[in-house]
Amino acid sequence: MLVAAAVCPCPPLLVPEVAAGAAPELDALRAACLDAVAVLAAARPDRLVVVGPAAAPGPYPHGAAGSFRSFGVDVDVRLGPGEPTGERELPQSLAVAAWLLGRTSWSTAPVEGLGVDEPLDAARCLETGRELAAGAERVAVLAMGDGSACRTLKAPGYLDDRAAAFDAGAARALSSADTTALAALDPELARELKAAGRAPWQVLAGAAEGAGLAGQLLYDDAPYGVGYFVASWS
């Protein structure tokens, strides 16, 4: 069953080498993410599953490797400690998660990754989450994903008047571990608002059904016009 969860955004700018001179702008976000991962470790799970948006969906094993070389920096990561395994390179969202886990020297439990694609409908997301929660006696989930990318005129998706309300609803649900509200997020609206976190959040909602976890929102802001949330469920 699910014993703890964390929600973090997944912009490559979380990695200081990628952000370069802009790195200090996201110091508060990085700190919140590391605090959320620390709560996962404190729960002492038997298994950690990292869920994030991916163009190439599917499982990624413990030790799967990734990098940020496409951004021009010499930073390599692995999903959990140990020798590199697997043939597929981690998608961006899971590579950011691997970087966070590396910063906290994660050694609490084996780590597995799951990439989910944007079109995955809510019902399948929820069922996937239920299957994850049933996979071990004590499971933790790290759900990676951003809110809308349409909060300002300079945002990646330009300004959309619906974005602020969508993000506010997601933040409320994440802050209170409201699985029903997360399950009700509209996939089509999320797609139009470029909210890449919708599917991972709904996988988390399925995993958390009946777990009785309490939520805490550690970060809620929209730098660069993109909604970023950090939450801890325990």
Side-chain angles (χ1 to χ4, degrees):
M1 65 174 291
L2 188 74
V3 296
V7 174
C8 294
C10 52
L13 290 175
L14 272 177
V15 179
E17 292 88 344
V18 175
E25 297 176 9
L26 295 182
D27 280 348
L29 175 58
R30 288 187 198 93
C33 290
L34 295 174
D35 287 346
V37 172
V39 172
L40 294 181
R44 297 189 178 278
D46 301 322
R47 175 189 182 209
L48 172 63
V49 182
V50 182
V51 183
Y60 292 81
H62 182 97
S67 80
F68 295 92
R69 294 176 185 273
S70 62
F71 297 95
V73 298
D74 187 17
V75 177
D76 297 315
V77 293
R78 289 198 305 274
L79 200 59
E83 293 299 317
T85 60
E87 298 180 356
R88 295 197 300 167
E89 182 170 327
L90 291 172
Q92 174 183 299
S93 63
L94 301 189
V96 173
W99 180 83
L100 290 172
L101 293 172
R103 287 293 295 267
T104 58
S105 300
W106 179 271
S107 60
T108 307
V111 184
E112 300 171 20
L114 178 64
V116 292
D117 56 353
E118 181 186 66
L120 195 66
D121 63 56
R124 184 57 189 146
C125 287
L126 295 170
E127 183 58 31
T128 297
R130 296 180 190 117
E131 293 169 358
L132 293 181
E137 185 174 344
R138 297 179 61 81
V139 177
V141 169
L142 173 54
M144 307 295 294
D146 307 340
S148 74
C150 303
R151 292 277 291 273
T152 66
L153 292 173
K154 294 184 178 180
Y158 196 65
L159 176 65
D160 190 309
D161 291 338
R162 302 170 296 174
F166 177 90
D167 282 350
R172 284 193 300 271
L174 294 171
S175 69
S176 57
D178 188 339
T179 59
T180 301
L182 288 176
L185 291 175
D186 183 348
E188 180 60 23
L189 176 59
R191 185 191 64 78
E192 293 174 0
L193 296 176
K194 303 185 185 302
R198 188 276 308 174
W201 298 339
Q202 289 185 326
V203 171
L204 170 59
E209 287 179 354
L213 301 182
Q216 181 181 10
L217 194 64
L218 306 180
Y219 186 95
D220 176 6
D221 204 353
Y224 317 121
V226 181
Y228 293 152
F229 315 113
V230 180
S232 177
W233 294 10
S234 60

